Amino acid sequence: MTRTDGRRWGKAGERLSEREVRQRVGRIVRRREIDVETRRVDDERAREKWAMGLVIPAHITIALDALGLHGSEVDAACGVREPAVDDWEAGRLYPTWEQILALAALTAKRPMYFMAPVHPVTSAYETSLRFHRKHGELIPLPVHRFTTGAMQAARRIGVTS
């Protein structure tokens, strides 16, 4: 595939004409423009869902756990003071849109990832994880919604739910 860095080769050893190079570069540029537009629309939809109160705390936990991120560094990267991120994960504090954007950048996820609907996740009780816990130790269940108090406080930041 021709890249925009000056390489002018097609399939194995097949040199491309100037016209073919221009066509391929044009397709690449159009594809990138479509990707940018798709992301813009997706981000607008995510912001609408955020404003409707559709952030899912468990999605925050899943994204952070997948990268092994925890502690005060996460709070600092999201522009908040500890224990704000823990409160998001527990459903006690609804994040602002700017905080969702910072979280998305930190976890390399799109903002829509953190919104409803709930991602299907296998329960830890259906895996071997239950055998790796001490007898009687409970496995915390995912938090799928924010508390009533968190949602009432979120109205002050523009959430309509």
Side-chain angles (χ1 to χ4, degrees):
M1 176 111 190
T2 300
R3 297 184 297 180
T4 57
D5 63 1
R7 294 181 71 182
R8 299 177 183 274
W9 295 95
K11 291 186 231 173
E14 185 179 296
R15 191 161 178 81
L16 298 174
S17 70
E18 288 298 319
R19 181 173 174 248
E20 289 171 320
V21 170
R22 283 193 304 275
Q23 287 174 338
R24 287 186 179 200
V25 168
R27 281 195 301 267
I28 291 168
V29 168
R30 283 189 299 280
R31 209 173 306 130
R32 286 182 184 160
E33 289 170 352
I34 290 168
D35 288 346
V36 167
E37 179 62 15
T38 300
R39 286 182 178 192
R40 186 190 63 74
V41 169
D42 190 54
D43 288 352
E44 283 178 12
R45 288 182 49 235
R47 190 171 192 342
E48 290 169 5
K49 284 188 167 196
W50 168 85
M52 290 188 283
L54 296 176
V55 174
I56 305 295
H59 296 181
I60 297 170
T61 302
I62 292 166
L64 293 172
D65 287 353
L67 297 173
L69 298 173
H70 51 80
S72 59
E73 298 84 18
V74 174
D75 293 272
C78 291
V80 295
R81 291 182 21 199
E82 202 171 17
V85 175
D86 293 335
D87 289 340
W88 299 345
E89 292 182 83
R92 294 186 298 258
L93 177 65
Y94 197 82
T96 66
W97 176 244
E98 291 73 21
Q99 292 163 348
I100 288 290
L101 294 176
L103 180 65
L106 176 65
T107 60
K109 301 280 186 199
R110 303 295 310 152
M112 186 61 89
Y113 175 85
F114 301 102
M115 308 302 154
V118 174
H119 301 318
V121 178
T122 302
S123 167
Y125 288 101
E126 297 171 5
T127 70
S128 65
L129 177 60
R130 67 180 183 264
F131 301 114
H132 300 279
R133 298 289 181 143
K134 295 177 186 162
H135 182 68
E137 183 180 8
L138 297 176
I139 301 169
L141 295 173
V143 178
H144 293 299
R145 63 177 62 148
F146 286 86
T147 64
T148 303
M151 295 313 296
Q152 288 171 344
R155 289 188 180 128
R156 291 191 294 266
I157 59 170
V159 176
T160 59
S161 140

